[in-house]
Amino acid sequence: MKKAYLGIDIGSISTKGILIDQNNQILRSSYLWTEGSPINAVKRVLKELFKDKFEYKIVGVGTTGSARKLIGSILNASVIKNEITAHAIGTSTFAPNVRTIIEIGGQDSKIILLNDGIVTDYAMNTLCAAGTGSFLSSQAQRLGVEVEDFGKIALKSKNPALLAARCTVFAESDLVHKAQLGYSKEDIIAGLCQSVAQNYLNNVAKGKKIYEPIIFQGGVSKNIGVKKAFENILEKKINTLENGHLMGAIGVAILSKNEKEREYDFSNIDHIQFETTSTFCNRCPNNCEIIMVKKEKKLIDSWGNRCEKGELKIC
Ligand code: SF4
């Protein structure tokens, strides 16, 4: 039977799943909203990935994203990696010469600089939502348009409105102000795309030298208005990859190929009960909060203890 590898990128907004073969060819993919429950989101992703007969055996699993540790424990992943490594590996596999990765996701954004496939510098912004997908979605709702249509509407603008987008509060009030001044929807949307790109360059890239080739990825890379805004500001070509919104998941699936093979079977996972709870170790004033993951009420993983005294016995 041929071998396949599963990668899961689980963030607070979206969950991505990917299956690749030994040659890094994408066999199947799934992208859905996390909806506040990473465990359920992963169960739904797996259901979608395996809804049709799958002629491969899964021998490696990788997880990344903000809930990577939790989901890694639940799936018994062979590799658990941070988003920077996952994105760098995924992107440089498909674009080996890439020097700059601009990544803007649902709620965070990052810049990764590489040379010869090695990460030389990076920065992440997880605090300010002003330049991310969730910000664009909320503004689209306010303007009564689908966020998917943002890009093509923005490209119709001849006079983009100048918007303060350093934070959502300023952006929203500025948006109302510009609409009152009579700016067209196209100009306001083009202004929003412009401010997302500018916000990213000011707050995430923060003066880092941006070398070409540049790859723009993450959910927001699907927005051609933001892509165009980056091109206008940087006066450089911005490239996107076909599966750019899945690169984190692809990266960890590729990394799992380096690990010892295991055999996975997810056919029953929908019926398994997982639960996360926490407790405090009060053996010293640090009072560490210890996160516990249980499968059918049995502890399968725990973390958060700063020393071995707080280690919990895994069943
Ligand atoms: S785990 Fe170690 S450091 Fe943390 S509270 Fe317990 S004894 Fe202190």
Side-chain angles (χ1 to χ4, degrees):
M1 210 176 190
K2 286 186 280 185
K3 294 173 183 174
Y5 305 84
L6 169 71
I8 301 276
D9 179 359
I10 180 133
S12 51
I13 300 280
S14 61
T15 300
K16 284 80 78 180
I18 194 98
L19 286 163
I20 58 166
D21 68 9
Q22 282 175 295
N23 303 315
N24 303 330
Q25 292 301 309
I26 295 167
L27 303 169
R28 287 182 188 177
S29 68
S30 168
Y31 184 114
L32 46 79
W33 305 122
T34 307
E35 293 176 356
S37 170
I39 296 176
N40 283 341
V42 165
K43 283 183 174 180
R44 286 187 286 125
V45 158
L46 292 174
K47 211 169 171 177
E48 174 143 343
L49 287 175
F50 297 108
K51 68 175 185 251
D52 299 317
K53 199 163 185 304
F54 192 61
E55 306 276 356
Y56 293 74
K57 65 174 176 184
I58 313 287
V59 293
V61 172
T63 60
T64 188
S66 54
R68 60 185 178 271
K69 178 86 178 100
L70 168 66
I71 300 308
S73 299
I74 283 172
L75 300 181
N76 189 24
S78 29
V79 63
I80 299 172
K81 279 283 175 215
N82 64 63
E83 293 100 311
I84 300 294
T85 308
H87 280 271
I89 295 287
T91 310
S92 57
T93 301
F94 295 96
N97 300 328
V98 60
R99 295 292 313 271
T100 306
I101 300 172
I102 294 175
E103 209 269 345
I104 308 184
Q107 211 164 44
D108 60 27
S109 39
K110 48 187 99 56
I111 182 167
I112 308 172
L113 304 175
L114 303 97
N115 200 356
D116 280 336
I118 309 288
V119 176
T120 54
D121 198 4
Y122 69 90
M124 252 180 115
N125 182 5
T126 52
L127 298 175
C128 174
T132 64
S134 58
F135 166 75
L136 280 174
S137 296
S138 60
Q139 301 315 315
Q141 207 173 7
R142 176 179 278 269
L143 292 163
V145 300
E146 295 294 326
V147 72
E148 291 77 17
D149 297 332
F150 245 51
K152 54 179 190 280
I153 297 174
L155 293 190
K156 287 186 194 153
S157 164
K158 300 227 163 21
N159 181 30
L162 265 179
L163 294 177
R166 61 188 177 277
C167 87
T168 46
V169 178
F170 279 108
E172 277 171 11
S173 62
D174 214 15
L175 194 136
V176 173
H177 179 61
K178 289 292 185 317
Q180 285 163 348
L181 288 177
Y183 276 82
S184 69
K185 215 173 247 189
E186 290 91 60
D187 291 343
I188 292 176
I189 290 174
L192 267 172
C193 293
Q194 196 81 21
S195 62
V196 164
Q198 196 61 62
N199 178 287
Y200 175 93
L201 294 169
N202 292 345
N203 297 322
V204 186
K206 263 191 211 150
K208 289 188 195 303
K209 181 104 176 98
I210 295 181
Y211 294 100
E212 292 180 275
I214 303 164
I215 303 279
F216 179 25
Q217 62 194 34
V220 175
S221 68
K222 299 270 167 208
N223 183 324
I224 45 173
V226 179
K227 177 176 180 269
K228 186 91 180 56
F230 272 120
E231 282 180 335
N232 288 343
I233 299 170
L234 291 170
E235 296 180 345
K236 292 182 194 309
K237 184 168 166 36
I238 304 289
N239 305 283
T240 51
L241 296 174
E242 198 191 336
N243 290 298
H245 59 301
L246 302 169
M247 257 335 141
I250 294 171
V252 273
I254 292 171
L255 282 168
S256 78
K257 290 164 60 182
N258 302 331
E259 305 298 319
K260 195 168 179 298
E261 287 186 2
R262 304 176 189 180
E263 275 214 38
Y264 292 91
D265 176 9
F266 299 116
S267 55
N268 204 28
I269 196 153
D270 212 19
H271 305 290
I272 301 175
Q273 204 198 354
F274 294 100
E275 183 194 6
T276 45
T277 52
S278 67
T279 184
F280 288 90
C281 171
N282 46 23
R283 290 186 180 85
C284 89
N286 279 335
N287 205 20
C288 297
E289 184 181 12
I290 301 171
I291 308 296
M292 300 180 290
V293 184
K294 292 180 182 171
K295 177 181 177 183
E296 302 293 351
K297 304 213 182 298
K298 283 190 183 154
L299 186 70
I300 56 167
D301 203 358
S302 72
W303 61 88
N305 49 303
R306 281 179 228 173
C307 77
E308 72 280 2
K309 284 188 211 157
E311 259 170 34
L312 299 179
K313 199 167 172 292
I314 307 291
C315 302

